[in-house]
Amino acid sequence: MENLRAAGTDVVRVVYPDLLGADRGRDVLLTQLPSACTHGLTFCRAVYHTTPRGDVVPVAGGLDAGLPDICVQPDLATVKPLPWEPGVAWCLGDSVDPLTEGPVPESPRALLKRVLAHADDYAAHHHGAAGRGPLAAVVGPELEYFLCDSSPTTPSGWTPYGAATGNVYSAGRRGDPDGHLLRTLRQLEALGIGVIAGNHEFDGGQFEINLDHSGALDAADRAFFFKAAVKETARHEGRLATFMAKPFNGLGGSGFHVHLSLVDGEGRNIFDDPEAENGLSAAARHAIGGVLRHAPALAALLNPTVNSYKRFGPDTLAPWLIDWGLDNRSAMVRVPPERGAGTRLELRLGDASANPYLLVAGTVAAVLLGLRDRPDPPAPLEGYGYDESSAPRLPATLPEALDALEADGALTCLLGEDFTGAFLTYKRNEVERYQQSVTDWEFGEYAFLI
């Protein structure tokens, strides 16, 4: 409190991720922070079951239980003053069930902690891990998003900012006439979430900003802060920043790629083996095999919306098939060329709408299952990876991915029955609502000629 007060902070905004990965929270006066830390902050548990339009989905433990409370405990190690809102600091919170005094099953941050706790159990399944201590996942997130300007004449009310084409992988005012990227990079640097660099992406109004690698929980925390910060600073400018997978017809989608490696208790990257083929250890091959084996189920977590599956397809540079390759960006799993301490996998499956905690938890879980079960991956992809005869296809719709998740007993065992049940119920309700909604496309397609 003394440090915050000295920095001019008088409000702490305690935030936590819901199932979608959106930030929920409460502003707490600094004078009341000790009470919030002692007693926690109460919220209705159904906040985890609430849709973006404000409806409550009948997930077990919510409506059926009379809409009980959860208790959110501030994690003071995560306090970060907000550069764009003087006097306010962000702080992550952890959700606790007052009845069990344990984590709320729907809590994405608690889920990731549970999965990471299993890493110790899987160390023995890695050849040569004995004596080197527990395994730790190291994660580097990469996210893309679209910045939009208000446009009352368009059906959505928004249009891509700086929408001129051809400014692919550029910086400066050519594709960013108002200097959005520089302003955002500086604000994120002041926030202290490990931002490295950014650039204008493929389409007009699309940007990518990279975050440094760190331990898996810290990386997910920083990706959560990153998404919330980009959206919030855009609101301050009267704009919309969206991490929707594919927000516009005729333009590409936005990805959430994750770089992952495992280090042992001595800090050695266990994916590296200079004597092995392609410099990849047995652990790396089995990790790749685990991700490929569980990819259909992972799609439900990493591509979690109806819209997600409109990003996929041939020639999109988004994955379409369950494959891997050496420095091949058309593969679902890419192995970058660095070796030694930099040996890692890049999973390109996720889209930007994914909840960072669920994305990291699912990916780490699939890797750990690969270490346990030791599946050997097929030969790496050669050339451009959209030949359907070369590898199995990923799920083509959200319902197909949800069915794959429910059927993947090994993965759901690691994720936990309560979490999996809540997630499936919530997402199947989303599918049902979508199927019952009449879209602009349907009206334009049928109303005038039928």
Side-chain angles (χ1 to χ4, degrees):
M1 287 181 63
E2 292 175 2
N3 291 337
L4 289 170
R5 189 177 291 110
T9 298
D10 63 350
V11 172
V12 176
R13 182 167 298 159
V14 181
V15 296
Y16 60 99
D18 66 7
L19 277 176
L20 293 171
D23 53 305
R24 308 283 181 171
R26 183 172 297 159
D27 284 344
V28 179
L29 291 169
L30 184 61
T31 55
Q32 300 303 309
L33 185 60
S35 176
C37 292
T38 301
H39 304 292
L41 302 170
T42 56
F43 290 83
C44 179
R45 181 172 172 179
V47 72
Y48 284 117
H49 318 150
T50 303
T51 74
R53 297 177 187 264
D55 300 315
V56 178
V57 178
V59 174
L63 284 171
D64 64 326
L67 300 172
D69 274 347
I70 59 171
C71 185
V72 174
Q73 298 283 353
D75 180 353
L76 296 183
T78 66
V79 171
K80 297 180 183 302
L82 298 187
W84 60 87
E85 196 157 2
V88 182
W90 258 346
C91 177
L92 283 171
D94 286 314
S95 303
V96 175
D97 184 336
L99 293 180
T100 67
E101 298 186 350
V104 176
E106 299 96 313
S107 166
R109 196 169 190 245
L111 170 68
L112 178 54
K113 289 181 179 181
R114 288 199 304 273
V115 170
L116 294 174
H118 285 284
D120 293 359
D121 303 332
Y122 287 79
H125 296 281
H126 160 56
H127 293 291
R132 291 203 172 102
L135 296 180
V138 177
V139 170
E142 294 180 355
L143 290 110
E144 298 166 341
Y145 63 94
F146 276 90
L147 185 68
C148 307
D149 283 322
S150 176
S151 177
T153 60
T154 61
S156 68
W158 299 93
T159 190
Y161 152 82
T165 59
N167 297 314
V168 181
Y169 302 141
S170 64
R173 298 300 173 107
R174 191 175 76 193
D176 182 9
D178 191 38
H180 160 78
L181 182 61
L182 276 179
R183 189 163 55 250
T184 303
L185 282 174
R186 286 169 175 150
Q187 288 174 328
L188 295 174
E189 170 67 11
L191 184 62
I193 57 171
V195 167
I196 300 174
N199 58 268
H200 187 283
E201 248 295 330
F202 199 90
D203 286 301
Q206 189 181 37
F207 296 89
E208 177 178 7
I209 293 179
N210 305 134
L211 302 174
D212 199 2
H213 61 275
S214 68
L217 180 62
D218 179 70
D221 285 342
R222 292 185 295 110
F224 170 71
F225 274 137
F226 167 78
K227 293 180 73 172
V230 169
K231 288 185 285 188
E232 184 71 358
T233 54
R235 293 184 193 110
H236 278 251
E237 298 177 2
R239 293 188 167 112
L240 169 70
T242 179
F243 291 86
M244 186 175 171
K246 187 176 172 66
F248 299 105
N249 287 314
L251 300 181
S254 292
F256 185 166
H257 301 165
V258 62
H259 294 250
L260 184 142
S261 61
L262 292 176
V263 297
D264 61 22
E266 298 175 359
R268 187 180 70 89
N269 186 330
I270 71 166
F271 287 170
D272 180 55
D273 185 351
E275 306 301 320
E277 184 179 9
N278 300 314
L280 299 175
S281 68
R285 295 197 312 275
H286 296 150
I288 294 169
V291 171
L292 298 182
R293 174 178 288 185
H294 298 284
L298 282 179
L301 301 173
L302 277 60
N303 311 107
T305 71
V306 169
N307 176 259
S308 294
Y309 297 83
K310 297 176 181 179
R311 167 179 167 262
F312 289 161
D315 302 319
T316 60
L317 287 182
W320 189 45
L321 305 176
I322 301 172
D323 54 10
W324 75 285
L326 298 165
D327 198 15
N328 190 327
R329 284 181 168 81
S330 64
M332 187 190 80
V333 177
R334 168 179 172 257
V335 178
E338 292 90 347
R339 293 296 180 266
T343 308
R344 63 191 186 277
L345 319 179
E346 180 193 7
L347 179 57
R348 299 172 62 82
L349 175 60
D351 68 64
S353 68
N355 183 325
Y357 296 97
L358 304 189
L359 181 146
V360 175
T363 304
V364 171
V367 165
L368 293 179
L369 290 170
L371 295 189
R372 185 192 72 181
D373 300 332
R374 301 181 183 178
D376 280 320
L381 169 70
E382 298 286 347
Y384 196 47
Y386 292 100
D387 177 5
E388 193 173 358
S389 66
S390 66
R393 274 191 63 176
L394 285 159
T397 65
L398 180 58
E400 187 181 341
L402 294 173
D403 289 345
L405 175 61
E406 185 174 29
D408 192 330
L411 187 67
T412 58
C413 182
L414 265 182
L415 299 178
E417 180 181 346
D418 290 339
F419 166 79
T420 304
F423 182 82
L424 291 172
T425 300
Y426 184 86
K427 284 295 168 180
R428 283 180 171 144
N429 178 273
E430 177 181 328
V431 171
E432 181 181 347
R433 287 183 286 113
Y434 171 74
Q435 291 173 339
Q436 293 173 349
S437 176
V438 178
T439 65
D440 293 338
W441 182 91
E442 290 169 277
F443 191 89
E445 184 79 4
Y446 305 123
F448 301 99
L449 294 180
I450 294 177

